[in-house]
Amino acid sequence: MLLDKDDNGHPIQILGIMPGTAQKVTAGISSSRIAIPAGAVAVTFVGKSNDVRYALGDADVVATDDSDFLYGSQGGDRLLIATRNHSHIAFKRADAADVDVEMSFLE
């Protein structure tokens, strides 16, 4: 199989959805945390209606007002590379209303 190459000439890895890993979490005023399935290398976000903050880390990770930002109003999927050295992902709403964040993990 021929794969597309990145700017450095390296083949671009094709990721597939890990069966049974779809999850939904509510990003509220306090941080919510979920475990990243073993073997996941990326996560794709769908169904976000509003902005959220997120953080990757271990079982103690907490999303704060200074955490990375995901826009909710731009439409389409968001891809976030979650390297194997992270075991959890945390979310917190960035606006006044809680946000349902739907995601699937990729391998």
Side-chain angles (χ1 to χ4, degrees), residues 2-63:
L2 295 176
L3 299 176
D4 285 335
K5 296 186 189 251
D6 65 17
D7 291 340
N8 295 317
H10 300 106
I12 298 172
Q13 180 181 5
I14 298 172
L15 301 176
I17 293 176
M18 294 178 77
T21 63
Q23 294 191 39
K24 181 177 173 181
V25 65
T26 299
I29 195 164
S30 298
S31 182
S32 300
R33 173 179 48 243
I34 62 168
I36 297 172
V41 296
V43 59
T44 184
F45 299 100
V46 295
K48 282 189 317 75
S49 57
N50 292 318
D51 303 338
V52 297
R53 298 280 181 176
Y54 73 93
L56 292 165
D58 60 17
D60 297 323
V61 68
V62 174

